[in-house]
PDB file of all heavy atoms in Angstrom:
ATOM      1  N   SER A 169      -0.225 -81.548 280.085  1.00 59.00           N
ATOM      2  CA  SER A 169      -0.505 -80.398 280.941  1.00 59.00           C
ATOM      3  C   SER A 169      -0.781 -80.831 282.376  1.00 59.00           C
ATOM      4  O   SER A 169      -1.191 -80.040 283.201  1.00 59.00           O
ATOM      5  CB  SER A 169      -1.683 -79.599 280.373  1.00 59.00           C
ATOM      6  OG  SER A 169      -2.847 -80.389 280.460  1.00 59.00           O
ATOM      7  N   GLY A 170      -0.593 -82.120 282.649  1.00 63.00           N
ATOM      8  CA  GLY A 170      -0.702 -82.602 284.028  1.00 63.00           C
ATOM      9  C   GLY A 170      -2.132 -82.840 284.468  1.00 63.00           C
ATOM     10  O   GLY A 170      -2.396 -83.033 285.644  1.00 63.00           O
ATOM     11  N   GLN A 171      -3.083 -82.824 283.516  1.00 77.00           N
ATOM     12  CA  GLN A 171      -4.472 -83.037 283.910  1.00 77.00           C
ATOM     13  C   GLN A 171      -4.728 -84.505 284.166  1.00 77.00           C
ATOM     14  O   GLN A 171      -4.092 -85.383 283.604  1.00 77.00           O
ATOM     15  CB  GLN A 171      -5.411 -82.555 282.803  1.00 77.00           C
ATOM     16  CG  GLN A 171      -5.508 -81.049 282.741  1.00 77.00           C
ATOM     17  CD  GLN A 171      -6.355 -80.624 281.558  1.00 77.00           C
ATOM     18  OE1 GLN A 171      -7.315 -81.284 281.217  1.00 77.00           O
ATOM     19  NE2 GLN A 171      -5.965 -79.529 280.939  1.00 77.00           N
ATOM     20  N   GLY A 172      -5.688 -84.731 285.025  1.00 87.00           N
ATOM     21  CA  GLY A 172      -6.046 -86.107 285.324  1.00 87.00           C
ATOM     22  C   GLY A 172      -7.105 -86.099 286.392  1.00 87.00           C
ATOM     23  O   GLY A 172      -7.643 -85.041 286.721  1.00 87.00           O
ATOM     24  N   LEU A 173      -7.411 -87.264 286.930  1.00 89.00           N
ATOM     25  CA  LEU A 173      -8.452 -87.327 287.944  1.00 89.00           C
ATOM     26  C   LEU A 173      -8.171 -88.480 288.875  1.00 89.00           C
ATOM     27  O   LEU A 173      -7.366 -89.359 288.570  1.00 89.00           O
ATOM     28  CB  LEU A 173      -9.810 -87.517 287.263  1.00 89.00           C
ATOM     29  CG  LEU A 173      -9.885 -88.673 286.264  1.00 89.00           C
ATOM     30  CD1 LEU A 173     -10.479 -89.918 286.879  1.00 89.00           C
ATOM     31  CD2 LEU A 173     -10.668 -88.260 285.036  1.00 89.00           C
ATOM     32  N   MET A 174      -8.822 -88.464 290.021  1.00 93.00           N
ATOM     33  CA  MET A 174      -8.722 -89.607 290.916  1.00 93.00           C
ATOM     34  C   MET A 174      -9.753 -90.623 290.453  1.00 93.00           C
ATOM     35  O   MET A 174     -10.953 -90.363 290.494  1.00 93.00           O
ATOM     36  CB  MET A 174      -9.012 -89.190 292.361  1.00 93.00           C
ATOM     37  CG  MET A 174      -7.923 -88.366 293.019  1.00 93.00           C
ATOM     38  SD  MET A 174      -6.232 -89.015 292.891  1.00 93.00           S
ATOM     39  CE  MET A 174      -6.236 -90.262 294.165  1.00 93.00           C
ATOM     40  N   ALA A 175      -9.286 -91.782 289.979  1.00 94.00           N
ATOM     41  CA  ALA A 175     -10.206 -92.853 289.619  1.00 94.00           C
ATOM     42  C   ALA A 175     -10.481 -93.660 290.884  1.00 94.00           C
ATOM     43  O   ALA A 175      -9.589 -93.867 291.697  1.00 94.00           O
ATOM     44  CB  ALA A 175      -9.593 -93.739 288.548  1.00 94.00           C
ATOM     45  N   HIS A 176     -11.743 -94.059 291.049  1.00 95.00           N
ATOM     46  CA  HIS A 176     -12.122 -94.824 292.235  1.00 95.00           C
ATOM     47  C   HIS A 176     -12.332 -96.290 291.858  1.00 95.00           C
ATOM     48  O   HIS A 176     -12.913 -96.585 290.821  1.00 95.00           O
ATOM     49  CB  HIS A 176     -13.400 -94.244 292.849  1.00 95.00           C
ATOM     50  CG  HIS A 176     -13.158 -92.873 293.414  1.00 95.00           C
ATOM     51  ND1 HIS A 176     -12.977 -92.648 294.748  1.00 95.00           N
ATOM     52  CD2 HIS A 176     -13.019 -91.678 292.803  1.00 95.00           C
ATOM     53  CE1 HIS A 176     -12.735 -91.367 294.947  1.00 95.00           C
ATOM     54  NE2 HIS A 176     -12.763 -90.749 293.778  1.00 95.00           N
ATOM     55  N   TYR A 177     -11.858 -97.158 292.725  1.00 97.00           N
ATOM     56  CA  TYR A 177     -11.928 -98.592 292.468  1.00 97.00           C
ATOM     57  C   TYR A 177     -12.438 -99.331 293.692  1.00 97.00           C
ATOM     58  O   TYR A 177     -12.172 -98.923 294.824  1.00 97.00           O
ATOM     59  CB  TYR A 177     -10.535 -99.179 292.185  1.00 97.00           C
ATOM     60  CG  TYR A 177      -9.764 -98.577 291.031  1.00 97.00           C
ATOM     61  CD1 TYR A 177      -9.033 -97.397 291.189  1.00 97.00           C
ATOM     62  CD2 TYR A 177      -9.727 -99.201 289.791  1.00 97.00           C
ATOM     63  CE1 TYR A 177      -8.299 -96.854 290.146  1.00 97.00           C
ATOM     64  CE2 TYR A 177      -8.992 -98.678 288.739  1.00 97.00           C
ATOM     65  CZ  TYR A 177      -8.276 -97.498 288.916  1.00 97.00           C
ATOM     66  OH  TYR A 177      -7.555 -96.984 287.887  1.00 97.00           O
ATOM     67  N   SER A 178     -13.172-100.444 293.449  1.00 98.00           N
ATOM     68  CA  SER A 178     -13.375-101.455 294.486  1.00 98.00           C
ATOM     69  C   SER A 178     -13.016-102.784 293.853  1.00 98.00           C
ATOM     70  O   SER A 178     -13.240-102.977 292.649  1.00 98.00           O
ATOM     71  CB  SER A 178     -14.825-101.557 294.933  1.00 98.00           C
ATOM     72  OG  SER A 178     -15.294-100.301 295.334  1.00 98.00           O
ATOM     73  N   TYR A 179     -12.478-103.663 294.647  1.00 98.00           N
ATOM     74  CA  TYR A 179     -12.094-104.992 294.140  1.00 98.00           C
ATOM     75  C   TYR A 179     -12.861-106.055 294.902  1.00 98.00           C
ATOM     76  O   TYR A 179     -13.116-105.913 296.093  1.00 98.00           O
ATOM     77  CB  TYR A 179     -10.600-105.223 294.329  1.00 98.00           C
ATOM     78  CG  TYR A 179      -9.735-104.292 293.513  1.00 98.00           C
ATOM     79  CD1 TYR A 179      -9.337-103.053 294.013  1.00 98.00           C
ATOM     80  CD2 TYR A 179      -9.310-104.658 292.243  1.00 98.00           C
ATOM     81  CE1 TYR A 179      -8.533-102.194 293.260  1.00 98.00           C
ATOM     82  CE2 TYR A 179      -8.507-103.817 291.482  1.00 98.00           C
ATOM     83  CZ  TYR A 179      -8.121-102.584 292.002  1.00 98.00           C
ATOM     84  OH  TYR A 179      -7.335-101.743 291.254  1.00 98.00           O
ATOM     85  N   ARG A 180     -13.214-107.120 294.189  1.00 98.00           N
ATOM     86  CA  ARG A 180     -13.888-108.263 294.817  1.00 98.00           C
ATOM     87  C   ARG A 180     -13.128-109.517 294.448  1.00 98.00           C
ATOM     88  O   ARG A 180     -12.988-109.827 293.256  1.00 98.00           O
ATOM     89  CB  ARG A 180     -15.284-108.413 294.203  1.00 98.00           C
ATOM     90  CG  ARG A 180     -16.416-107.799 294.961  1.00 98.00           C
ATOM     91  CD  ARG A 180     -17.681-107.960 294.133  1.00 98.00           C
ATOM     92  NE  ARG A 180     -18.350-109.245 294.360  1.00 98.00           N
ATOM     93  CZ  ARG A 180     -19.494-109.589 293.760  1.00 98.00           C
ATOM     94  NH1 ARG A 180     -20.065-108.764 292.883  1.00 98.00           N
ATOM     95  NH2 ARG A 180     -20.055-110.744 294.022  1.00 98.00           N
ATOM     96  N   ILE A 181     -12.674-110.248 295.432  1.00 98.00           N
ATOM     97  CA  ILE A 181     -12.086-111.564 295.157  1.00 98.00           C
ATOM     98  C   ILE A 181     -13.237-112.561 295.186  1.00 98.00           C
ATOM     99  O   ILE A 181     -13.865-112.775 296.227  1.00 98.00           O
ATOM    100  CB  ILE A 181     -10.993-111.915 296.178  1.00 98.00           C
ATOM    101  CG1 ILE A 181      -9.881-110.852 296.101  1.00 98.00           C
ATOM    102  CG2 ILE A 181     -10.431-113.309 295.912  1.00 98.00           C
ATOM    103  CD1 ILE A 181      -8.859-110.936 297.214  1.00 98.00           C
TER     104      ILE A 181
END
Side-chain angles (χ1 to χ4, degrees):
Chain A
S169 66
Q171 285 175 36
L173 51 98
M174 288 311 280
H176 293 259
Y177 302 83
S178 305
Y179 295 88
R180 264 175 86 179
I181 300 170

